[in-house]
């Protein structure tokens, strides 16, 4: 058993997925009162960082498969949080945060920051920073956009 009391999983993917599910539950609890899921919050946050972006590029930024991203975006568009328009190529969609999406993100930030701070306080500054570096490295390696050096 490890410090969580759970048996260690021999597969890195299984271990990261278990950690991701636990993290998702933690952040979902924080943003749920605002009518959001953390996956939606992440899309709002990503669009606030990238500005207008193609759906393909947004999927790359989030390492999210097209089907899942399309389903999430459809829900968010119906809520009025995301706007889209056709790109130069009629097959391309350009996405951006709508005014309602910006408002929803602004309302959710305090709850997200609280959840973020709860996690950060458990790890301390160095380990917290190291976790971000490690997840960036794993993502780059696994998505074939970089290496672990």
């Amino acid at each position: 058993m490890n410090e969580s009391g759970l048996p260690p999983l021999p597969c890195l993917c299984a271990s990261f997925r278990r950690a991701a599910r636990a993290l998702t539950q933690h952040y979902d609890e924080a943003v749920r009162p605002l009518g959001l899921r953390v996956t939606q919050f992440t899309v709002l946050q990503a669009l606030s960082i990238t500005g207008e972006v193609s759906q393909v590029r947004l999927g790359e930024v989030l390492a999210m498969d097209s089907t899942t991203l399309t389903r999430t975006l459809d829900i968010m568009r119906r809520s009025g949080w995301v706007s889209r328009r056709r790109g130069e190529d009629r097959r391309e969609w350009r996405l951006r945060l709508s005014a309602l999406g910006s408002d929803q993100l602004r309302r959710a930030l305090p709850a997200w920051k609280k959840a973020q701070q709860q996690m950060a306080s458990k790890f301390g500054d160095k380990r917290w920073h190291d976790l971000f570096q490690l997840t960036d490295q794993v993502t780059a390696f696994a998505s074939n956009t970089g290496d672990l050096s």
Side-chain angles (χ1 to χ4, degrees):
M1 296 285 174
N2 55 32
E3 65 184 69
S4 69
L6 299 171
L9 299 173
C11 173
L12 183 64
C13 180
S15 294
F16 265 85
R17 288 178 58 86
R18 177 170 62 186
R21 285 188 296 270
L23 279 169
T24 297
Q25 291 168 12
H26 175 75
Y27 284 87
D28 267 346
E29 286 179 26
V31 298
R32 185 177 296 119
L34 297 148
L36 270 175
R37 297 196 58 138
V38 74
T39 49
Q40 296 166 332
F41 175 84
T42 301
V43 171
L44 293 174
Q45 198 174 50
L47 287 173
S48 77
I49 293 166
T50 61
E52 187 175 85
V53 66
S54 72
Q55 184 169 331
V56 170
R57 180 63 183 145
L58 182 60
E60 292 168 356
V61 167
L62 297 172
M64 203 172 193
D65 70 90
S66 178
T67 302
T68 302
L69 181 58
T70 296
R71 188 172 41 246
T72 301
L73 287 168
D74 285 346
I75 293 166
M76 295 178 75
R77 281 185 50 247
R78 284 194 302 270
S79 295
W81 302 334
V82 174
S83 298
R84 75 175 184 180
R85 68 172 180 85
R86 290 276 184 199
E88 297 284 325
D89 178 343
R90 291 197 38 82
R91 295 170 294 175
E92 176 187 70
W93 286 108
R94 305 289 299 174
L95 306 164
R96 66 180 169 76
L97 203 55
S98 70
L100 282 174
S102 292
D103 288 345
Q104 183 69 341
L105 178 60
R106 190 172 39 258
R107 281 192 300 273
L109 278 172
W112 170 80
K113 285 179 182 177
K114 181 179 179 186
Q116 187 87 335
Q117 183 54 45
Q118 289 170 338
M119 294 302 297
S121 69
K122 295 289 184 189
F123 291 100
D125 289 342
K126 181 177 179 354
R127 284 179 70 198
W128 183 248
H129 176 74
D130 290 348
L131 278 170
F132 275 92
Q133 283 191 313
L134 178 61
T135 57
D136 287 347
Q137 290 172 346
V138 169
T139 301
F141 180 76
S143 59
N144 299 316
T145 60
D147 61 37
L148 290 178
S149 56

